[in-house]
Amino acid sequence: MPGVAMKRIALLVDNLYSSTYQQEVVAGLIATLAERDIELFVFIGGPLLKDPEDPYACTRNCIYDLISREKFDGVIVTTTVYAFISKEEMVRFLI
């Protein structure tokens, strides 16, 4: 409909280069959301708060600061982004 803003969804991933899982998630969401006139914005950062295998991974997370309730209608977070934090830490991040 003219004059009606499209819905916007933010997707948080930590790797698209070598992660087939996340590549498939993105491809599926692009196809599904396009059918529904919903825009998808993919944010490639790092695991939230900590990563025992890469102490510098969290520095990529500043990209997540671009996400706000005013800009997006929803957020999808892949499991690889929150693999190293508790449920409570994840809730705090999303609020």
Side-chain angles (χ1 to χ4, degrees):
M1 290 193 289
V4 175
M6 291 179 69
K7 297 281 186 187
R8 298 163 53 110
I9 301 293
L11 172 64
L12 283 61
V13 300
D14 74 334
N15 182 338
L16 284 181
Y17 177 71
S18 63
S19 174
T20 305
Y21 159 71
Q22 291 181 99
Q23 291 170 359
E24 290 176 2
V25 168
V26 171
L29 282 170
I30 288 171
T32 301
L33 296 177
E35 294 172 358
R36 292 164 174 77
D37 290 327
I38 299 173
E39 292 181 286
L40 179 67
F41 294 80
V42 180
F43 294 86
I44 305 169
L48 294 175
L49 305 180
K50 52 192 162 192
D51 181 346
E53 299 170 12
D54 182 359
Y56 302 104
C58 291
T59 60
R60 301 188 313 237
N61 294 351
C62 63
I63 190 78
Y64 301 148
D65 293 338
L66 298 173
I67 301 167
S68 70
R69 292 177 187 218
E70 295 76 34
K71 296 177 186 173
F72 294 95
D73 300 293
V75 176
I76 299 171
V77 184
T78 60
T79 55
T80 56
V81 171
Y82 64 87
F84 305 114
I85 63 173
S86 68
K87 180 180 177 181
E88 292 77 20
E89 290 170 312
M90 182 64 189
V91 169
R92 278 195 301 275
F93 170 77
L94 291 173
I95 294 175

